[in-house]
Amino acid sequence: MIFVQRTREPEELRRSAAKWLAELKVAVSELEGLEADPNAGEQDISRARKALKKAQGKYAHPRIKDALVRMFHGKCAYCESKVTVVTYGQIEHFYPKGQYIDRTFLWGNMLLSCDLCNNPHHKGTRFPLDENGDPLLIDPTSIVPEKHLLFSWDPLAGVASVYGKDARGKETVQTFDLNGAGGRKELLKSRSEYVKCLMALLRLAEEGDDEARSLLLDACASHAPFAAFARAHIEPNLRS
């Protein structure tokens, strides 16, 4: 996970967010009224649920999605895997839209996520808060992840792990299963193999291989997968 500078709000969202939110609140109110009415028919309730889903889903405008893909370079905001290589990715609401309706169409609440980080087994609607009511998860567009996370490389085991430095970091690692303890073994394997290759390139670069050095510099860039590890273990050596 790396810090990502949030780009300008897409025009479609700036122009329509207030209207979409008003329509969403009407849909929520209508559904709640029907569900509270003992005389309401199932057909009416079903129709209201569909209307709510349609109103809530207007954030998924193609240009809004494209803006997020560009901002995150096609990577998941949380695990830094390249999302768009194998799937379309998801528009993820940092503050869950079902719990925080007023944030449904806020640009500052939208991230790009892979299907795994955003599924019910990991984040989904999970949104732990600390004793002050502040989020315990890391939003990489508002917080520098390195302040809360340690990106570790074990050369003997050949494992690239993420450790929390504090409560926020630990909750983030656990929620997104960044070390595979909850079943995401492929994430850990893919990341570790990638970092192992980077370390091999580093040895070549230290011997004067300019092509290896160029590849490593590219691995430290925002668009590269698992850039947090390259910045922690490669970049300092390239500067020395």
Side-chain angles (χ1 to χ4, degrees):
M1 188 183 293
I2 61 171
F3 178 76
V4 176
Q5 184 69 48
R6 189 166 288 278
T7 55
R8 181 179 299 180
E9 180 182 28
E11 176 63 22
E12 290 75 17
L13 193 58
R14 186 196 65 77
R15 186 175 60 243
S16 304
K19 177 174 69 100
W20 289 347
L21 181 58
E23 292 171 350
L24 175 58
K25 288 184 174 181
V26 168
V28 169
S29 178
E30 290 180 349
L31 177 59
E32 289 177 344
L34 286 169
E35 289 180 331
D37 183 357
N39 298 316
E42 279 301 317
Q43 191 173 35
D44 290 333
I45 293 176
S46 177
R47 188 180 300 112
R49 286 173 178 162
K50 289 178 181 178
L52 173 58
K53 185 176 181 180
K54 181 178 179 181
Q56 189 181 54
K58 289 186 177 180
Y59 67 85
H61 189 287
R63 291 196 181 92
I64 296 173
K65 177 68 170 296
D66 288 345
L68 285 170
V69 170
R70 289 194 300 273
M71 185 169 78
F72 287 96
H73 301 281
K75 297 193 304 180
C76 176
Y78 299 120
C79 72
E80 270 207 283
S81 298
K82 274 286 188 180
V83 178
T84 54
V85 172
V86 294
T87 184
Y88 295 106
Q90 299 180 358
I91 297 178
E92 206 283 294
H93 289 78
F94 183 67
Y95 284 81
K97 59 184 182 295
Q99 300 164 239
Y100 300 87
I101 293 176
D102 287 343
R103 296 176 181 264
T104 302
F105 305 108
L106 285 183
W107 177 236
N109 192 41
M110 297 182 187
L111 308 172
L112 182 70
S113 173
C114 71
D115 300 0
L116 291 178
C117 279
N118 196 34
N119 77 15
H121 294 294
H122 300 114
K123 183 169 184 285
T125 59
R126 177 179 171 82
F127 197 64
L129 304 173
D130 65 15
E131 63 275 10
N132 298 315
D134 296 321
L136 271 174
L137 299 180
I138 296 172
D139 172 1
T141 67
S142 63
I143 293 174
V144 177
E146 292 93 326
K147 291 182 178 180
H148 306 280
L149 298 172
L150 175 67
F151 303 98
S152 172
W153 167 248
D154 183 338
L156 295 178
V159 176
S161 305
V162 188
Y163 297 109
K165 297 179 180 179
D166 53 18
R168 174 170 272 170
K170 291 174 183 177
E171 187 67 45
T172 297
V173 171
Q174 180 180 344
T175 295
F176 298 106
D177 192 18
L178 297 181
N179 290 325
R184 296 189 70 182
K185 301 298 184 184
E186 286 302 314
L187 171 61
L188 180 65
K189 179 181 178 182
S190 176
R191 189 176 65 214
S192 297
E193 289 177 348
Y194 181 78
V195 176
K196 185 176 182 179
C197 289
L198 294 184
M199 300 308 290
L201 283 172
L202 179 60
R203 290 192 291 272
L204 292 175
E206 290 174 338
E207 294 171 1
D209 190 317
D210 290 337
E211 185 176 359
R213 180 180 178 82
S214 177
L215 290 170
L216 290 174
L217 288 171
D218 194 55
C220 296
S222 297
H223 63 78
F226 313 122
F229 283 87
R231 293 177 181 183
H233 298 281
I234 300 299
E235 200 168 46
N237 290 287
L238 293 179
R239 289 175 180 171
S240 60

